[in-house]
């Protein structure tokens, strides 16, 4: 009888563990966005939203990022991995993505009883950083944005013709910096940084397409790469910090330029964890 009780105790413990694991990852039904919510223990968990870049799919749900996701969970955060194109039931390419679809997915996650809906931070890399900054600039309940090698302006969608915007809001394309004649030779030899630098010489279009980072309702961390081969992420981050200063931005902001190429800031999550602990 004693052994039988012990056996039952072990089985019950295993059932509880399996039940907890099953609840720890939740697939949310969100139109045009793939949403996977990872929960830790406890109530009122601040929500970290992860957005991948031009690689598409749902990067933050991959095994590659599991260790980092688990670190967020261990620190008391919930983590929402979003795929907004190139994932299941999402647009195929990065073109005319409705930012309200992504915001609605975040709101769906924030409804969960274990989430603190007043504590939402977004981390985006590359094109995902642009989206993170845009979301923060349009929606006041986003209380922190971390931009990893992000852009200061909106650029064309990833089509063959480059004649449409990456993003839309309320069914209207956001203004974007067009591909000019000077950028074409750089694109033909796949020099993306050269193409971006040529496009940004159109100062009027750049100003019109600029992301209004001053509208973000919380702290901002910019991480850029000093030897970025994809885009001039350090000058872009400098431009955004200058914009915040000019507009007397009332929240904390910081720019750290990481030595290395485009992916280099992804090796420095200790900076992100420290920033969140102090300013989120």
């Amino acid at each position: 009888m004693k052994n039988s009780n012990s056996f039952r105790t072990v089985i019950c413990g295993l059932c509880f563990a399996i039940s907890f694991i099953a609840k720890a990852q939740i697939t949310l039904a969100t139109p045009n966005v793939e949403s996977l919510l990872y929960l830790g223990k406890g109530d009122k968990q601040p929500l970290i939203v992860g957005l991948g870049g031009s690689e598409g799919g749902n990067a933050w749900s991959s095994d590659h990022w599991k260790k980092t996701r688990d670190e967020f969970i261990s620190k008391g955060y919930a983590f929402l991995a979003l795929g907004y194109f190139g994932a299941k039931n999402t647009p195929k390419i990065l073109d005319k993505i409705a930012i309200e679809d992504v915001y609605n997915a975040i709101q769906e996650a924030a409804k969960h009883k274990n989430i603190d809906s007043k504590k939402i931070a977004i981390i985006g890399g590359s094109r995902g950083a642009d989206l993170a900054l845009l979301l923060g600039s349009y929606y006041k309940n986003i209380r922190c944005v971390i931009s990893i090698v992000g852009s200061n302006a909106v650029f064309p969608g990833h089509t063959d013709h480059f004649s449409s915007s990456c993003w839309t809001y309320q069914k209207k394309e956001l203004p974007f910096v067009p591909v000019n004649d000077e950028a074409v030779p750089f694109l033909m030899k796949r020099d993306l940084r050269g193409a971006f630098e040529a496009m940004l010489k159109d100062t009027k279009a750049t100003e019109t397409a600029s992301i209004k980072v001053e509208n973000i309702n919380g702290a901002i961390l910019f991480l850029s790469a000093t030897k970025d081969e994809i885009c001039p992420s350090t000058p872009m981050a400098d431009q955004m910090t200058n914009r915040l200063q000019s507009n007397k931005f009332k929240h904390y902001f910081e720019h750290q330029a990481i030595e290395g190429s485009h992916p280099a800031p992804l090796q420095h999550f200790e900076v992100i964890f420290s920033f969140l602990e102090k300013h989120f």
Side-chain angles (χ1 to χ4, degrees), residues 12-270:
C12 288
L14 286 172
C15 288
F16 174 81
I18 292 168
S19 174
F20 178 76
I21 291 169
K23 291 179 181 178
Q25 179 180 322
I26 302 170
T27 301
L28 304 175
T30 52
N32 302 317
V33 179
E34 183 183 85
S35 306
L36 291 174
L37 177 61
Y38 300 85
L39 291 168
K41 297 179 181 179
D43 299 326
K44 295 293 182 181
Q45 298 171 45
L47 180 64
I48 306 295
V49 181
L51 300 170
S54 58
E55 73 277 8
N58 193 345
W60 278 102
S61 69
S62 68
D63 290 342
H64 177 79
W65 288 109
K66 183 181 185 303
K67 182 179 178 181
T68 308
R69 285 198 318 265
D70 289 347
E71 192 167 357
F72 277 108
I73 299 299
S74 72
K75 292 179 182 294
Y77 302 105
F79 196 95
L80 177 64
L82 295 182
Y84 52 96
F85 81 98
K88 185 177 180 181
N89 298 322
T90 68
K92 291 183 179 180
I93 61 171
L94 179 51
D95 182 53
K96 294 185 284 188
I97 303 299
I99 66 171
E100 56 263 51
D101 284 347
V102 182
Y103 176 72
N104 290 338
I106 296 170
Q107 287 297 92
E108 187 64 29
K111 292 177 184 177
H112 192 280
K113 64 180 182 179
N114 292 80
I115 299 295
D116 184 350
S117 62
K118 295 180 180 179
K119 295 275 285 184
I120 301 173
I122 306 182
I123 298 174
S126 197
R127 278 289 174 268
D130 303 359
L131 178 54
L133 293 164
L134 284 166
L135 286 163
S137 71
Y138 277 92
Y139 299 104
K140 293 298 183 184
N141 64 330
I142 306 301
R143 302 311 302 268
C144 180
V145 176
I146 297 171
S147 165
I148 304 173
V149 292
S151 304
N152 62 312
V154 172
F155 287 94
H158 294 190
T159 64
D160 293 336
H161 45 77
F162 301 115
S163 62
S164 53
S165 178
C166 264
W167 318 107
T168 70
Y169 177 67
Q170 295 183 347
K171 301 187 184 302
K172 293 182 180 179
E173 291 184 43
L174 297 186
F176 62 95
V177 183
V179 173
N180 53 20
D181 290 342
E182 188 177 341
V184 172
F186 292 102
L187 288 173
M188 291 179 70
K189 60 182 180 181
R190 298 187 179 183
D191 179 354
L192 294 179
R193 178 169 181 142
F196 275 113
E197 289 174 336
M199 293 161 69
L200 288 167
K201 290 181 181 179
D202 187 343
T203 55
K204 184 177 180 180
T206 300
E207 179 56 34
T208 301
S210 290
I211 299 172
K212 295 179 173 59
V213 290
E214 68 273 15
N215 291 340
I216 294 172
N217 189 32
I220 309 172
L221 172 63
F222 302 101
L223 293 180
S224 67
T226 59
K227 299 176 182 177
D228 199 322
E229 74 284 12
I230 302 297
C231 67
S233 59
T234 296
M236 284 175 163
D238 284 338
Q239 194 281 336
M240 287 187 279
T241 58
N242 291 339
R243 185 180 182 109
L244 293 174
Q245 290 168 345
S246 298
N247 284 277
K248 296 179 171 58
F249 189 64
K250 65 180 182 179
H251 303 285
Y252 182 83
F253 63 93
E254 178 181 342
H255 173 206
Q256 289 203 33
I258 305 297
E259 186 72 19
S261 62
H262 194 68
L266 296 174
Q267 307 303 316
H268 293 273
F269 266 85
E270 74 281 358

